[in-house]
Amino acid sequence: MMRMKKRVPIFKMSSLLDPETKPTVQKSLYKQILKVITANVSSSKDSVIVAHIHSENDKEYYDVIIDRDDFKDNLNTILEHHVGEENYEKCSEIQTIISQL
């Protein structure tokens, strides 16, 4: 049986830079980072690709890659975001993942 390769989401650079869309895109990016780190907590990968950023100006795609050494820092940033939103259930989930690293 062939395994389907997971699709890596693409975010537009302009959406990340636009003050009106940035919060929504940032939230989606945090969700994606959490999903990828969670899926790779017990893997032996040194780094993971989280997303692609499409720069409409130069028509290029850039990979968002997180090294295993940076998993905890990224999770702490996402944790702070959820504390600010008072989403304590998600905070608990993230703290559990951090403790597994």
Side-chain angles (χ1 to χ4, degrees):
M1 180 187 252
M2 238 174 77
R3 281 182 53 181
M4 294 250 325
K5 190 169 177 157
K6 294 182 177 81
R7 279 179 30 104
V8 177
I10 299 170
F11 294 91
K12 290 184 179 179
M13 179 76 75
S14 59
S15 299
L16 283 166
L17 299 175
D18 183 337
E20 283 192 27
T21 55
K22 184 179 177 178
T24 305
V25 175
Q26 188 174 31
K27 200 176 211 173
S28 295
L29 197 50
Y30 283 165
K31 186 176 180 179
Q32 177 65 13
I33 291 168
L34 181 59
K35 181 175 140 186
V36 170
I37 290 176
T38 301
N40 286 282
V41 164
S42 57
S43 81
S44 60
K45 293 180 181 176
D46 291 331
S47 62
V48 292
I49 296 176
V50 174
H52 303 297
I53 304 294
H54 178 231
S55 173
E56 298 95 320
N57 291 343
D58 61 10
K59 310 271 191 275
E60 292 291 329
Y61 288 84
Y62 300 94
D63 293 337
V64 177
I65 299 172
I66 300 177
D67 292 330
R68 176 168 290 284
D69 294 343
D70 296 325
F71 279 10
K72 194 174 277 190
D73 287 343
N74 278 270
L75 289 172
N76 281 319
T77 299
I78 297 168
L79 179 63
E80 287 174 27
H81 168 78
H82 285 291
V83 167
E85 299 221 327
E86 297 182 8
N87 185 347
Y88 301 118
E89 189 176 313
K90 190 57 83 173
C91 291
S92 176
E93 178 187 325
I94 294 167
Q95 286 174 323
T96 300
I97 297 164
I98 289 172
S99 71
Q100 293 171 6
L101 294 174

